[in-house]
Amino acid sequence: MKIALKVNGQEVSAEVAPNTLLVQFIRENLRLTGTHVGCDTAQCGACTVIANGRSIKSCNVLAAQMQGADITTIEGLAAPDGSLHPVQAAFKECHGLQCGYCTPGMVMSTVDLLAHHPDADETQIRELLDGNLCRCTGYHNIVRAVQTAQKTMAA
């Protein structure tokens, strides 16, 4: 079946099998490999992208369901000149990562979190990131990164 959508500001279309997951379409058809496949069960959040202004787990939705959608992946966050999005910069500054596997999904969830809960406190941040798993950190630096981005974006 043919699908057409916007990914990182670019109109894209392709023929896909009806059972193609959005994460497969992003990684295999578009070669945007920053969106990671972790658990394949929508538990870990490594595949998180922004779809029509809300974070979703792309391993849990069919590409065909995204017909006409506006998708942003981790590759679409930085400015055209290469400068980092404030959330990306905060994760870098606060070392909100270790191995980095969860980082793209964590960053995308943070973008959504701050768009919809700009005044979240530490407890709320931890609760709102609950669907994103990190097996390397104790989440302290991730929460610090979210708070740093929160301050930067509020300024």
mmCIF file of all heavy atoms in Angstrom, residues 86 90 114 118 144-155:
data_model
loop_
_atom_site.group_PDB
_atom_site.id
_atom_site.type_symbol
_atom_site.label_atom_id
_atom_site.label_comp_id
_atom_site.label_asym_id
_atom_site.label_seq_id
_atom_site.Cartn_x
_atom_site.Cartn_y
_atom_site.Cartn_z
ATOM 1 N N PRO A 86 17.393 22.639 22.272
ATOM 2 C CA PRO A 86 17.717 22.819 23.699
ATOM 3 C C PRO A 86 17.688 21.520 24.513
ATOM 4 O O PRO A 86 18.489 21.361 25.441
ATOM 5 C CB PRO A 86 16.642 23.787 24.187
ATOM 6 C CG PRO A 86 16.223 24.548 22.972
ATOM 7 C CD PRO A 86 16.363 23.582 21.827
ATOM 8 N N ALA A 90 20.931 20.066 26.436
ATOM 9 C CA ALA A 90 20.874 19.790 27.878
ATOM 10 C C ALA A 90 21.318 18.369 28.184
ATOM 11 O O ALA A 90 22.036 18.135 29.167
ATOM 12 C CB ALA A 90 19.460 20.037 28.399
ATOM 13 N N LEU A 114 8.060 18.657 27.829
ATOM 14 C CA LEU A 114 8.201 20.102 28.033
ATOM 15 C C LEU A 114 7.198 20.904 27.211
ATOM 16 O O LEU A 114 6.816 22.005 27.609
ATOM 17 C CB LEU A 114 9.640 20.539 27.746
ATOM 18 C CG LEU A 114 10.672 19.969 28.727
ATOM 19 C CD1 LEU A 114 12.079 20.398 28.335
ATOM 20 C CD2 LEU A 114 10.359 20.379 30.161
ATOM 21 N N PRO A 118 5.352 22.315 30.752
ATOM 22 C CA PRO A 118 6.567 23.131 30.870
ATOM 23 C C PRO A 118 6.978 23.438 32.307
ATOM 24 O O PRO A 118 8.141 23.752 32.552
ATOM 25 C CB PRO A 118 6.215 24.409 30.115
ATOM 26 C CG PRO A 118 4.722 24.462 30.103
ATOM 27 C CD PRO A 118 4.266 23.039 30.101
ATOM 28 N N ARG A 144 18.102 15.882 35.509
ATOM 29 C CA ARG A 144 18.833 17.157 35.497
ATOM 30 C C ARG A 144 18.822 17.762 34.095
ATOM 31 O O ARG A 144 18.660 18.977 33.933
ATOM 32 C CB ARG A 144 20.273 16.929 35.967
ATOM 33 C CG ARG A 144 20.768 17.996 36.910
ATOM 34 C CD ARG A 144 22.062 17.607 37.618
ATOM 35 N NE ARG A 144 23.048 16.970 36.792
ATOM 36 C CZ ARG A 144 24.074 17.606 36.217
ATOM 37 N NH1 ARG A 144 24.240 18.882 36.381
ATOM 38 N NH2 ARG A 144 24.949 16.923 35.494
ATOM 39 N N ALA A 145 18.971 16.930 33.080
ATOM 40 C CA ALA A 145 18.940 17.417 31.692
ATOM 41 C C ALA A 145 17.566 17.996 31.354
ATOM 42 O O ALA A 145 17.470 19.042 30.712
ATOM 43 C CB ALA A 145 19.305 16.289 30.730
ATOM 44 N N VAL A 146 16.520 17.319 31.784
ATOM 45 C CA VAL A 146 15.164 17.815 31.533
ATOM 46 C C VAL A 146 14.987 19.166 32.216
ATOM 47 O O VAL A 146 14.465 20.115 31.618
ATOM 48 C CB VAL A 146 14.091 16.808 32.007
ATOM 49 C CG1 VAL A 146 12.692 17.395 31.867
ATOM 50 C CG2 VAL A 146 14.204 15.496 31.240
ATOM 51 N N GLN A 147 15.432 19.279 33.459
ATOM 52 C CA GLN A 147 15.299 20.538 34.190
ATOM 53 C C GLN A 147 16.130 21.649 33.554
ATOM 54 O O GLN A 147 15.687 22.800 33.489
ATOM 55 C CB GLN A 147 15.707 20.342 35.656
ATOM 56 C CG GLN A 147 14.746 19.457 36.416
ATOM 57 C CD GLN A 147 15.253 19.059 37.787
ATOM 58 O OE1 GLN A 147 16.449 18.794 37.973
ATOM 59 N NE2 GLN A 147 14.345 19.010 38.761
ATOM 60 N N THR A 148 17.296 21.314 33.045
ATOM 61 C CA THR A 148 18.140 22.308 32.366
ATOM 62 C C THR A 148 17.466 22.785 31.091
ATOM 63 O O THR A 148 17.405 23.988 30.825
ATOM 64 C CB THR A 148 19.538 21.711 32.069
ATOM 65 O OG1 THR A 148 20.153 21.379 33.317
ATOM 66 C CG2 THR A 148 20.408 22.671 31.293
ATOM 67 N N ALA A 149 16.939 21.851 30.311
ATOM 68 C CA ALA A 149 16.214 22.238 29.081
ATOM 69 C C ALA A 149 14.987 23.061 29.424
ATOM 70 O O ALA A 149 14.658 24.031 28.727
ATOM 71 C CB ALA A 149 15.816 20.981 28.307
ATOM 72 N N GLN A 150 14.317 22.694 30.488
ATOM 73 C CA GLN A 150 13.128 23.407 30.953
ATOM 74 C C GLN A 150 13.466 24.877 31.197
ATOM 75 O O GLN A 150 12.751 25.782 30.752
ATOM 76 C CB GLN A 150 12.653 22.723 32.240
ATOM 77 C CG GLN A 150 11.337 23.114 32.778
ATOM 78 C CD GLN A 150 10.998 22.254 34.004
ATOM 79 O OE1 GLN A 150 11.868 21.999 34.844
ATOM 80 N NE2 GLN A 150 9.760 21.816 34.087
ATOM 81 N N LYS A 151 14.569 25.134 31.898
ATOM 82 C CA LYS A 151 14.997 26.509 32.195
ATOM 83 C C LYS A 151 15.384 27.239 30.913
ATOM 84 O O LYS A 151 15.033 28.396 30.709
ATOM 85 C CB LYS A 151 16.158 26.496 33.177
ATOM 86 C CG LYS A 151 15.748 26.059 34.566
ATOM 87 C CD LYS A 151 16.951 25.930 35.472
ATOM 88 C CE LYS A 151 16.542 25.249 36.769
ATOM 89 N NZ LYS A 151 17.665 24.706 37.485
ATOM 90 N N THR A 152 16.128 26.566 30.044
ATOM 91 C CA THR A 152 16.571 27.180 28.789
ATOM 92 C C THR A 152 15.378 27.554 27.913
ATOM 93 O O THR A 152 15.334 28.653 27.351
ATOM 94 C CB THR A 152 17.480 26.207 28.014
ATOM 95 O OG1 THR A 152 18.610 25.891 28.834
ATOM 96 C CG2 THR A 152 17.955 26.817 26.705
ATOM 97 N N MET A 153 14.434 26.659 27.818
ATOM 98 C CA MET A 153 13.280 26.896 26.944
ATOM 99 C C MET A 153 12.323 27.935 27.516
ATOM 100 O O MET A 153 11.589 28.581 26.770
ATOM 101 C CB MET A 153 12.568 25.573 26.649
ATOM 102 C CG MET A 153 13.430 24.638 25.807
ATOM 103 S SD MET A 153 12.798 22.974 25.671
ATOM 104 C CE MET A 153 11.452 23.221 24.529
ATOM 105 N N ALA A 154 12.334 28.106 28.836
ATOM 106 C CA ALA A 154 11.462 29.093 29.480
ATOM 107 C C ALA A 154 12.031 30.506 29.358
ATOM 108 O O ALA A 154 11.295 31.490 29.473
ATOM 109 C CB ALA A 154 11.249 28.742 30.938
ATOM 110 N N ALA A 155 13.333 30.585 29.133
ATOM 111 C CA ALA A 155 14.004 31.900 29.068
ATOM 112 C C ALA A 155 13.672 32.667 27.801
ATOM 113 O O ALA A 155 13.224 32.201 26.838
ATOM 114 C CB ALA A 155 15.517 31.714 29.183
#
